[in-house]
């Protein structure tokens, strides 16, 4: 292609991607498929890689983050970044409106009303429509240049749409949406990385990362709400029209912004948003009222740094101080011992809170929470309340100046079954070693056993399982197969009596038994199953459906698997040393062997066959992942052909993957393969290999 044609294509791809981002992030009305988006992005990346002369720091490919550049430079804000006065009471809002009505002479001044995002204020500078710099608020006069990090935030436009002025500074908030925060922390917990204390800290910490590639991994977002320096544009006469104009230029603006008049109008907005607060996808700590007309704003002026024409009306804090009465632990299915604190009840954001999670022992060590401590708890939305920090100054000291409260130690014995609690090297989670002897684990294990993808016992929910364990009617999963209709009926009667929920019909002598018959029927139906379901249902740690399938195919029958030692298990393709050890330990435990024998004795059965091992063929020992659509055959067909050549076909990409076959619209698996440097085959390569597999 000629240079001019190439450049035109680069520009076209950038425009397509910018448009797709705009529709997605600003209009909330996407019209592009992920597949097209990925395809354009990959094409653009390739062109930019091959033709460095087309490089542009504002290209949509810039979102991945560049290498770190050292410290942040100082940025002087040409127009200072304002702070807002706060109001907490309705009366203060009424006074604010009265003052403005009087001083402007306008009997019903209009206000732009906006949610007050709880993130980090920043200023973005554009020259001739191109992003040139972004800075934190700092002290309002001077901030830090965090441009490289801001470029990685997908909702920060890098090139403006339409007629952009010579200079445009846009102010707004960078924040971490709640769902993204939860997802990030779940990931961090799983990978032993540090969790973020709350979305606000998450946003602030991420933006101040010296390595933009780290920021790029953090799910941040941006909303615009004010202007800084502007040159070469005729501004609208009101703030609300400015927000509409900013939206046209490509800036996301909160969908909740509105216009209201009168103290009643402002307070109605405050209450309306307050009711929605928990359901909003981001944290807010109040709403903001801004006098809408710029001429009226100028007439009101400023007191020190704060405008007299705007005010932030805060909601009750979602963080409160209280004291720790005790630290307890929960035990999960895999024995994970999760500590939580029992607190002196406290109102947080209008709800009484008595418990907060501590996630794991690392979190306890990080926070150093001790019984008796004064702590700050936070409740954000539907999220489980959590301990934010300890107020150490409130911790009393003894005569020697040492803290009076002892550091918390996780119990060494499981509070439910008394078995040892152990923490493996490099793991953040401590676990009860009682396995299925532990009633807490038994409930969770039964729940997993009965779940749809395991033994698929319909109607056996957590409530019944808890009662069965509590009344000692079921000790192991095999005991389920001994339960009769009468057992279930009497279990329910006892549970209802305990919970004081005995139905009227029962009180009058009628006992419904149809549900119990159905349940016994469902249990009976689950007897006829497959080996892979049984292996998955046993709940061996790290043995998910895919590993269960691998084991079932590799061994063909249960007994050879029971006899396999750790070394033999390690030879199974796709099973690493840790999982091999877990499986060997599980089957070495006599009580686990007894459960398996009891399942068989109670009629649980599955077809067994010869082991399916493909140790031969040109692809023996290779693990292959198929992703995306192929045009010449289905993925299953391609998988079967590769298996016939000795390959092991896996569902997920890892360092051990030998190569990935990427068809049309391949997504995250392809990205992962690229990230790990795994060899990638396109369909043409696959076909030519299948034609001549040497
Ligand atoms: C927030 N935090 O959402 C302002 N803000 O306006 C909104 N902050 C603001 N406006 C002028 N919506 C200074 C700060």
């Amino acid at each position: 292609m000629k240079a001019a044609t190439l450049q035109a294509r680069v520009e076209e791809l950038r425009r397509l991607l910018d448009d797709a981002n705009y529709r997605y992030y600003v209009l909330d009305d996407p019209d592009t498929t992920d597949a097209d988006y990925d395809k354009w992005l990959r094409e653009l990346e390739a062109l930019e890689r091959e033709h460095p002369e087309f490089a542009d720091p504002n290209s949509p490919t810039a979102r991945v983050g560049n290498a770190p550049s050292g410290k942040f430079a100082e940025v002087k804000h040409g127009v200072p970044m304002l702070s807002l006065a706060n109001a907490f009471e309705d009366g203060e809002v009424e006074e604010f409106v009265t003052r403005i009505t009087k001083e402007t002479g306008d009997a019903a001044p209009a206000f732009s009303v906006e949610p007050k995002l709880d993130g980090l204020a920043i200023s973005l500078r554009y020259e001739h429509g191109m992003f040139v710099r972004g800075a934190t608020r700092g002290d309002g006069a001077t901030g830090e240049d965090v441009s490289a990090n801001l470029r990685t935030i997908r909702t920060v436009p890098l090139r403006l749409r339409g007629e952009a002025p010579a200079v445009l500074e846009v102010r707004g908030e960078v924040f971490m949406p709640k769902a993204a925060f939860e997802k990030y922390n779940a990931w961090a917990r799983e990978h032993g990385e540090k969790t973020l204390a709350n979305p606000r800290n998450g946003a602030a910490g991420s933006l101040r990362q010296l390595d933009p590639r780290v920021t790029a991994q953090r799910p941040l977002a941006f909303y615009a709400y004010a202007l800084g320096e502007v040159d070469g544009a005729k501004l609208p006469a009101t703030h609300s029209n400015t927000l509409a104009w900013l939206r046209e230029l490509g800036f996301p603006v909160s969908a909740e912004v509105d216009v209201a008049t009168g103290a009643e109008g402002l307070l109605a907005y405050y209450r309306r948003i307050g009711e929605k607060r928990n359901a909003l996808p981001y944290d807010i700590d109040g709403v903001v009222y801004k006098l809408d007309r710029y001429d009226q704003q100028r007439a009101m002026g400023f007191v020190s740094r704060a405008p007299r024409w705007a005010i932030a009306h805060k909601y009750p804090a979602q963080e409160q101080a209280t004291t720790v009465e005790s630290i307890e632990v929960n035990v999960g299915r895999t024995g994970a011992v999760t500590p939580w604190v029992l607190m002196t009840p406290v109102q947080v954001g209008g709800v009484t809170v008595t418990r907060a999670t501590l996630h794991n022992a690392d979190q306890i060590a990080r926070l150093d929470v001790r019984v008796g401590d004064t702590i700050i708890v936070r409740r954000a939305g539907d999220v489980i309340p959590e301990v934010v920090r300890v107020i150490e100054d409130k911790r009393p000291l003894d005569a020697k100046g040492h803290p009076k409260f002892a550091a918390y130690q996780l119990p060494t014995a499981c509070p439910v079954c008394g078995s040892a609690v152990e923490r493996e090297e490099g793991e953040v989670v401590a676990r009860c070693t009682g396995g299925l002897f532990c009633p807490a684990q038994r409930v969770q294990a039964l729940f997993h056993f009965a779940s749809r993808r395991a033994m698929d016992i319909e109607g056996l929910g957590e409530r019944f399982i808890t009662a069965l364990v509590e009344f000692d009617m079921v000790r192991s999963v095999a005991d389920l197969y001994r339960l009769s209709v009468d057992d279930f009926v009497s279990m329910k009667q006892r549970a209802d009596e305990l919970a004081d929920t005995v139905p009227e019909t029962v009180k009058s002598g009628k006992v419904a038994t149809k549900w119990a018959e159905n349940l016994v029927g469902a249990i009976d139906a689950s007897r006829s199953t497959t080996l892979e379901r049984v292996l998955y249902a046993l709940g061996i740690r790290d043995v998910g459906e895919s590993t269960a399938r691998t084991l079932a195919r590799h061994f063909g029958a249960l007994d050879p698997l029971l006899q396999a030692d750790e070394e033999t298990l390690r030879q199974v393709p796709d099973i690493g040393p840790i999982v091999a050890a877990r499986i060997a330990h599980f089957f070495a435990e006599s009580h686990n062997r007894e459960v398996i024998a009891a399942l068989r004795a109670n009629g649980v059965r599955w077809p067994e066959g010869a082991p399916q091992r493909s140790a031969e063929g040109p692809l023996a020992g290779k693990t292959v992942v198929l992703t995306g659509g192929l045009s010449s055959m289905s993925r299953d067909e391609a998988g079967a052909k590769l298996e016939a050549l000795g390959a092991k076909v896996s569902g997920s990409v890892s360092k051990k993957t030998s190569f990935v076959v990427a068809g049309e619209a391949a997504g995250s698996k392809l990205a992962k393969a690229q990230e790990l440097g795994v060899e990638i085959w396109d369909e043409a390569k696959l076909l030519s290999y299948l034609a001549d597999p040497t």
Side-chain angles (χ1 to χ4, degrees):
M1 245 192 272
K2 282 223 195 76
T5 330
L6 274 176
Q7 176 143 24
R9 180 61 182 160
V10 165
E11 278 308 316
E12 179 181 28
L13 289 166
R14 287 179 183 161
R15 192 181 46 72
L16 284 167
L17 290 161
D18 281 343
D19 282 351
N21 278 335
Y22 176 68
R23 294 198 62 107
Y24 187 88
Y25 290 116
V26 180
L27 302 184
D28 196 15
D29 179 23
D31 67 347
T32 306
T33 63
D34 287 356
D36 279 340
Y37 189 94
D38 285 349
K39 201 173 68 190
W40 295 331
L41 193 63
R42 278 204 303 277
E43 186 185 343
L44 181 57
E45 276 166 354
L47 287 174
E48 289 178 352
R49 207 167 34 239
E50 286 156 25
H51 303 277
E53 67 274 22
F54 297 142
D56 178 346
N58 291 339
S59 169
T61 56
R63 306 292 191 186
V64 291
N66 289 319
S69 58
K71 270 178 51 178
F72 301 116
E74 274 195 359
V75 174
K76 284 225 178 317
H77 298 299
V79 176
M81 289 184 74
L82 307 177
S83 54
L84 299 172
N86 288 325
F88 295 93
E89 311 284 339
D90 289 6
E92 295 171 83
V93 175
E94 283 155 8
E95 284 164 23
F96 167 73
V97 175
T98 307
R99 197 158 60 232
I100 288 177
T101 308
K102 212 155 89 195
E103 293 186 31
T104 59
D106 182 345
F111 292 88
S112 170
V113 292
E114 310 168 4
K116 185 170 184 298
L117 290 139
D118 196 9
L120 210 73
I122 55 146
S123 184
L124 304 171
R125 185 180 173 92
Y126 296 81
E127 292 176 3
H128 303 288
M130 295 298 256
F131 175 72
V132 292
R133 190 168 55 242
T136 58
R137 179 177 179 281
D139 61 5
T142 310
E144 285 179 319
D145 183 338
V146 287
S147 309
N149 287 339
L150 290 168
R151 275 205 176 84
T152 70
I153 302 176
R154 275 155 218 279
T155 57
V156 167
L158 297 177
R159 292 129 52 97
L160 301 185
R161 310 174 66 75
E163 290 289 302
V167 175
L168 178 69
E169 276 179 14
V170 173
R171 272 89 195 254
E173 205 84 354
V174 165
F175 59 97
M176 188 176 276
K178 289 182 205 167
F181 166 77
E182 288 304 323
K183 204 168 142 193
Y184 179 85
N185 271 358
W187 174 87
R189 253 173 243 130
E190 206 167 289
H191 291 80
E193 299 271 338
K194 260 180 87 167
T195 52
L196 306 168
N198 55 52
R200 207 200 104 77
N201 287 11
S206 304
L207 209 53
R208 300 202 71 263
Q209 281 289 333
L210 280 170
D211 188 342
R213 290 170 301 197
V214 174
T215 312
Q217 301 306 315
R218 306 282 175 87
L220 301 180
F222 170 78
Y223 273 142
Y225 54 66
L227 290 178
E229 188 184 334
V230 183
D231 185 20
K234 188 167 164 0
L235 290 185
T238 62
H239 177 70
S240 56
N241 284 339
T242 295
L243 293 181
W245 175 59
L246 288 177
R247 205 191 281 255
E248 283 168 24
L249 286 173
F251 294 95
V253 174
S254 165
E256 309 301 329
V257 301
D258 205 344
V259 174
T261 51
E264 335 72 63
L266 302 189
L267 294 174
Y269 180 76
Y270 176 82
R271 282 189 275 275
R272 182 159 71 73
I273 297 296
E275 277 162 24
K276 275 178 108 165
R277 184 180 183 187
N278 284 345
L280 289 176
Y282 40 78
D283 271 346
I284 59 170
D285 58 352
V287 293
V288 184
Y289 312 130
K290 296 173 184 168
L291 187 55
D292 203 26
R293 274 171 49 183
Y294 286 136
D295 60 332
Q296 294 182 337
Q297 286 189 3
R298 278 189 290 275
M300 292 299 296
F302 290 81
V303 230
S304 64
R305 280 273 164 72
R308 294 181 67 240
W309 43 263
I311 198 165
H313 190 182
K314 302 291 250 330
Y315 291 112
Q318 289 188 306
E319 289 186 3
Q320 283 295 345
T322 182
T323 50
V324 177
E325 298 195 341
S326 65
I327 301 179
E328 313 280 338
V329 297
N330 275 343
V331 185
R333 169 169 77 84
T334 57
V337 172
T338 312
W340 53 277
V341 293
L342 185 66
M343 310 169 295
T344 309
V346 62
Q347 287 268 320
V348 188
V351 172
T352 305
V353 174
T354 54
R355 296 156 176 244
T357 176
L358 284 164
H359 299 305
N360 56 46
D362 266 11
Q363 182 92 339
I364 293 205
R366 184 168 74 80
L367 296 166
D368 188 20
V369 182
R370 304 176 183 201
V371 175
D373 270 343
T374 301
I375 52 167
I376 301 293
V377 279
R378 179 185 168 84
R379 185 190 145 265
D382 314 325
V383 182
I384 315 163
E386 56 187 4
V387 178
V388 180
R389 64 180 176 277
V390 171
I391 306 181
E392 279 195 39
D393 292 352
K394 296 235 176 164
R395 187 181 281 165
L397 301 178
D398 63 16
K400 290 198 189 119
H402 297 305
K404 259 194 185 158
F405 307 141
Y408 174 77
Q409 303 283 346
L410 211 61
T412 51
C414 172
V416 183
C417 74
S419 302
V421 168
E422 286 172 5
R423 186 168 159 183
E424 282 175 30
E425 279 278 315
E427 281 242 352
V428 289
V429 177
R431 289 174 204 274
C432 161
T433 53
L436 295 179
F437 276 155
C438 177
Q441 291 184 62
R442 223 181 285 157
V443 168
Q444 297 304 323
L446 282 159
F447 192 57
H448 171 75
F449 183 81
S451 66
R452 198 171 56 80
R453 307 181 83 98
M455 301 301 278
D456 192 19
I457 304 176
E458 214 183 312
L460 191 61
E462 199 156 0
R463 175 167 176 247
F464 285 167
I465 290 174
T466 308
L468 290 170
V469 170
E470 194 178 332
F471 304 149
D472 211 17
M473 296 169 76
V474 172
R475 295 196 153 211
S476 86
V477 293
D479 294 339
L480 286 175
Y481 293 96
R482 283 201 274 264
L483 295 172
S484 65
V485 171
D486 286 348
D487 288 332
F488 278 112
V489 171
S490 71
M491 174 275 286
K492 182 156 185 309
Q493 274 172 350
R494 275 179 78 181
D496 283 342
E497 278 159 24
L498 279 175
D500 210 8
T501 55
V502 179
E504 286 306 315
T505 46
V506 175
K507 287 185 190 151
S508 64
K510 281 196 213 114
V511 179
T513 57
K514 186 82 189 136
W515 66 272
E517 284 160 22
N518 289 342
L519 202 45
V520 170
I523 291 173
D524 184 40
S526 79
R527 280 190 166 95
S528 173
T529 183
T530 61
L531 179 56
E532 65 181 77
R533 276 184 182 265
V534 172
L535 292 176
Y536 172 62
L538 288 172
I540 307 164
R541 242 181 93 200
D542 290 344
V543 176
E545 284 177 284
S546 143
T547 306
R549 191 173 318 124
T550 303
L551 290 170
R553 286 200 188 149
H554 186 87
F555 290 95
L558 184 58
D559 288 323
L561 171 57
L562 291 180
Q563 279 142 26
D565 58 10
E566 204 174 314
E567 194 45 48
T568 311
L569 286 160
R570 273 198 220 191
Q571 307 303 319
V572 180
D574 247 20
I575 293 196
I578 295 175
V579 180
R582 292 215 204 296
I583 299 167
H585 286 169
F586 183 91
F587 290 126
E589 293 265 7
S590 59
H591 62 258
N592 289 333
R593 284 177 172 265
E594 282 158 22
V595 167
I596 290 164
L599 283 173
R600 283 173 153 165
N602 287 324
V604 176
R605 61 197 181 273
W606 53 87
E608 298 201 326
Q612 285 178 30
R613 294 175 206 175
S614 32
E616 284 150 69
L619 293 178
K622 305 259 186 216
T623 305
V624 180
V625 176
L626 294 146
T627 180
L630 301 171
S631 56
S632 54
M633 65 186 105
S634 75
R635 249 199 333 251
D636 280 349
E637 264 176 273
K641 286 183 202 281
L642 291 166
E643 274 177 345
L645 293 168
K648 152 108 187 43
V649 175
S650 165
S652 60
V653 179
S654 75
K655 278 194 300 227
K656 287 197 193 167
T657 308
S658 310
F659 60 89
V660 169
V661 177
E664 199 53 24
S668 61
K669 288 180 195 175
L670 174 60
K672 176 107 189 261
Q674 285 165 333
E675 190 186 310
L676 294 174
V678 169
E679 184 179 341
I680 294 160
W681 288 18
D682 59 11
E683 185 166 358
K685 171 133 192 207
L686 173 71
L687 292 176
S688 77
Y689 180 81
L690 291 176
D692 182 18
T694 41

